[in-house]
Amino acid sequence: MWERRAGEWAAWARTPGQDVHFTHLNWPAFAELLPPPGRLTLDLGCGEGRVGRQLRPAGHRVVGVEPAPTLAALARDAGGYEQVLDADATALPLGDGAADLVIAFMSLHDMDDPAGAIAECGRVLAPGGLLCLAIVHPLNRPAEALADYFAHQRVVVPVEANGLTMTFEAIDRPLEHYTRALEGAGFVVEALREPRPDAAVVAEHPRLAGAAAWPLFLHARCRRAG
């Protein structure tokens, strides 16, 4: 899906002022969970590379992982990464304990096997390392999908703003699917957040009004045991 939508996504993510949900809600709240830079930060599902561009100036040594060839090329060209690996999240070409931080920012819910990806995160993290993840909130799904919350359901959501369109495709899953995967991979959840814009942010960016009353995203900071 992401290879098919690569052009749409690059325009959506890189047009100044377009993705207000990222700029004024999702990323600022997520950044509060991140530790200081360490030996190596892995950006899992890096897309066109905007997370790396945020992290590099803060001192992180970042390696990206992206299976969609067009997006991986965009991430390499835009900078922010020491390298971008064309790889699947369930089979990372890194040694055991190679990283001390894995970031999965808005990527796990797009994967066919997020539990396998979380297990790989546990393998490549050193003991005590952190996995910081952001997903679409399990309650942020079409009304018809909420009729069976526990089902795994593929969703297609077209969005239009300022003359640009982006079609998001993901797999809605219950929260327990992720927490069980984290338990199985030896992670302990240290922090769990549901970012919400304050009144001043909503007044400046009215497109965020819905997020003040209903959760759009879910963030977690998880530590590998041992």
Side-chain angles (χ1 to χ4, degrees), residues 64-220:
V65 175
E66 177 53 55
T70 299
L71 292 176
L74 287 168
R76 291 188 190 98
D77 291 344
Y81 298 92
E82 294 197 351
Q83 60 178 324
V84 176
L85 305 172
D86 294 287
D88 189 286
T90 62
L92 297 172
L94 295 170
D96 296 356
D100 44 23
L101 173 62
V102 175
I103 291 176
F105 182 80
M106 303 302 292
S107 59
L108 289 172
H109 53 270
D110 292 337
M111 298 180 186
D112 291 326
D113 184 12
I118 288 171
E120 272 291 86
C121 291
R123 182 187 67 79
V124 303
L125 277 170
L130 292 174
L131 165 62
C132 293
L133 64 91
I135 60 173
V136 172
H137 199 289
L139 292 178
N140 179 18
R141 56 175 65 182
E144 60 272 16
L146 285 171
D148 189 355
Y149 168 79
F150 292 103
H152 293 207
Q153 305 175 66
R154 290 189 175 273
V155 295
V156 179
V157 181
V159 181
E160 188 279 330
N162 301 324
L164 293 178
T165 60
M166 176 63 203
T167 302
F168 294 93
E169 300 180 43
I171 304 175
D172 284 340
R173 301 178 175 96
L175 177 58
E176 186 177 358
H177 183 79
Y178 296 99
T179 58
R180 283 186 177 273
L182 290 165
E183 291 170 20
F187 285 102
V188 176
V189 178
E190 289 187 342
L192 197 65
R193 301 283 188 270
E194 297 167 305
R196 181 184 182 191
D198 60 28
V201 170
V202 171
E204 186 175 357
H205 304 283
R207 285 165 56 194
L208 296 178
W214 192 260
L216 300 185
F217 310 111
L218 185 70
H219 298 169

